[in-house]
Amino acid sequence: MRTPRHDLSRRRLLFGGAAVSAGVLLAGCTSNEQTPTEAQTKAAATGGNTEPGKKVTIGFSAPAADHGWIAAITNNAKAQAGAYSDVELKSVEAGADAAAQRAALSTLISQKPDVIVLLPHDGKELNAFGLEAMKAGIPVVNLDRAFPDARAYRLQIKGDNYGMGVAAATYIAEQLKAKGVSNPVIGEIPGIESLELTQERSKGFADTLASYGLKVANRRPAEFTVDSGQQAATGLFQALPKIDAVWNHDDDQGIGVLAAVNQANRKEFFMVGGAGSKKAMEDIAADSTVLKATVTYSPSMASSAISLARLIGQGKGMSDLVELQVPKEIVLSSETITKENAGDYLKLGF
């Protein structure tokens, strides 16, 4: 089993198709209630690209905070913008769905910001907006939910969804192997099924399990919320009278999953979570529930998106890289948090 490393901020950077490694951009995440800490979202103290430069107006839009991860995205973006004296952030409400967000975003183009940072309700449905903004000469930073057309964004920054599935399956398979479990029953509780990111996570999970000769016995999608997590887990428990391991894609909906565990008194299995919430890390460190690990998908990407949008607006590249421009794509690595390293990651939990 690959030993988890304390390196939440490793990214894969893409320059015209060639991937290279880069060090820390910005790390961290936050909760609904808390102001982001210095460890979670910050600008470097002095020197290089952090020195005040050309004033940059950044338009920003993300779905309303119906769970902690989305709240952390918006909180991090606002805090990061506030760390720069040369950045003005103009936020627009995303509305209840992709159509409402599209209507709200049309006002941004008329305001002519220097850059737009956008986490869409659905990347495919908002792809046309990205194309429109780019055609109007406004660079778009596509955050998390990916536009399918590379012409719709100047920069795409997201988590490694396939890698989340790989990490979760690797941990589960190695744990089952160590326990000597043959023919294990494995359950899966994904998030919103229609999203490409959910499909990528499930594919990474299934592909990696298959490499161990294992497969998912039952999947019950939720919707990234506590209530939906509880409902999905209840259905899973009814479908599978015995379970050896479960991967729940999202730590927010995992609160509901754990409630269902207690309600049904189903504690014969161990569970892996997803994203890296503070509550999940605390539970893992305490070793008091079925949750034994989580795989990261950090909302720190919003902090990095604002910093990189600023550089794009100022016509600068990343100071530690040779290239003169900000990369085209950045993918955050998904790391595995266990009891052994939860204390290191706890300050980054959202």
Side-chain angles (χ1 to χ4, degrees):
M1 178 177 66
R2 182 173 66 88
T3 302
R5 296 174 55 192
H6 184 203
D7 187 11
L8 185 62
S9 57
R10 287 189 296 143
R11 272 81 167 168
R12 187 173 74 241
L13 310 184
L14 189 66
F15 293 88
V20 299
S21 296
V24 174
L25 292 178
L26 290 161
C29 35
T30 185
S31 70
N32 260 326
E33 297 80 14
Q34 296 177 344
T35 299
T37 66
E38 184 179 355
Q40 295 166 337
T41 174
K42 64 181 181 180
T46 58
N49 285 335
T50 62
E51 294 298 325
K54 172 192 169 185
K55 184 81 172 182
V56 176
T57 300
I58 300 175
F60 175 78
S61 179
D66 59 352
H67 62 287
W69 191 90
I70 286 288
I73 282 286
T74 298
N75 288 344
N76 283 355
K78 290 180 177 179
Q80 188 65 22
Y84 296 112
S85 62
D86 52 12
V87 169
E88 178 184 2
L89 190 70
K90 291 187 175 181
S91 298
V92 296
E93 297 297 328
D97 53 29
Q101 188 176 26
R102 177 70 178 82
L105 284 166
S106 64
T107 64
L108 269 183
I109 292 181
S110 64
Q111 295 176 35
K112 299 187 183 300
D114 297 294
V115 189
I116 292 174
V117 175
L118 171 62
L119 195 162
H121 272 285
D122 184 292
K124 291 180 180 178
E125 293 190 39
L126 269 297
N127 186 79
F129 169 79
L131 289 170
E132 180 184 353
M134 290 288 287
K135 187 175 181 180
I138 304 172
V140 175
V141 176
N142 177 205
L143 182 59
D144 183 42
R145 298 174 185 175
F147 294 150
D149 190 335
R151 297 172 300 166
Y153 58 85
R154 166 59 185 82
L155 164 65
Q156 188 176 83
I157 178 169
K158 60 182 182 177
D160 186 357
N161 290 292
Y162 186 89
M164 284 183 74
V166 171
T170 299
Y171 179 86
I172 285 174
E174 292 291 346
Q175 289 295 308
L176 292 170
K177 181 180 178 180
K179 296 173 185 291
V181 180
S182 59
N183 300 316
V185 177
I186 300 172
E188 181 183 3
I189 304 176
I192 299 172
E193 188 78 304
S194 63
L195 293 179
E196 184 178 4
L197 63 85
T198 296
Q199 297 160 18
E200 290 175 355
R201 292 175 185 182
S202 288
K203 187 174 187 333
F205 191 57
D207 288 351
T208 305
L209 286 180
S211 73
Y212 285 88
L214 305 175
K215 63 181 180 179
V216 174
N218 198 280
R219 289 177 82 253
R220 295 288 167 139
E223 297 179 356
F224 298 137
T225 62
V226 174
D227 288 346
S228 67
Q230 185 169 2
Q231 292 170 8
T234 298
L236 185 70
F237 298 155
Q238 291 171 350
L240 300 175
K242 177 185 176 297
I243 303 174
D244 294 294
V246 172
W247 181 34
N248 163 58
H249 288 206
D250 180 78
D251 289 333
D252 285 322
Q253 69 187 27
I255 295 172
V257 174
L258 289 176
V261 167
N262 293 329
Q263 186 177 41
N265 196 28
R266 292 291 298 273
K267 300 179 182 179
E268 77 276 10
F269 62 91
F270 68 91
M271 185 170 79
V272 176
S277 74
K278 183 178 180 181
K279 178 65 168 62
M281 293 184 205
E282 289 172 343
D283 286 344
I284 292 166
D287 198 19
S288 58
T289 73
V290 297
L291 183 62
K292 302 304 178 185
T294 189
V295 290
T296 61
Y297 193 84
S298 176
S300 65
M301 65 180 76
S303 302
S304 296
I306 294 297
S307 290
L308 293 167
R310 171 179 174 267
L311 294 182
I312 291 169
Q314 293 176 341
K316 298 178 181 178
M318 295 168 63
S319 59
D320 289 336
L321 300 184
V322 174
E323 288 74 16
L324 301 180
Q325 304 85 26
V326 167
K328 175 72 172 178
E329 297 179 10
I330 299 178
V331 181
L332 283 69
S333 175
S334 183
E335 299 295 332
T336 306
I337 300 174
T338 64
K339 181 180 178 181
E340 287 70 30
N341 64 357
D344 295 330
Y345 283 94
L346 191 58
K347 64 184 177 182
L348 303 177
F350 61 91

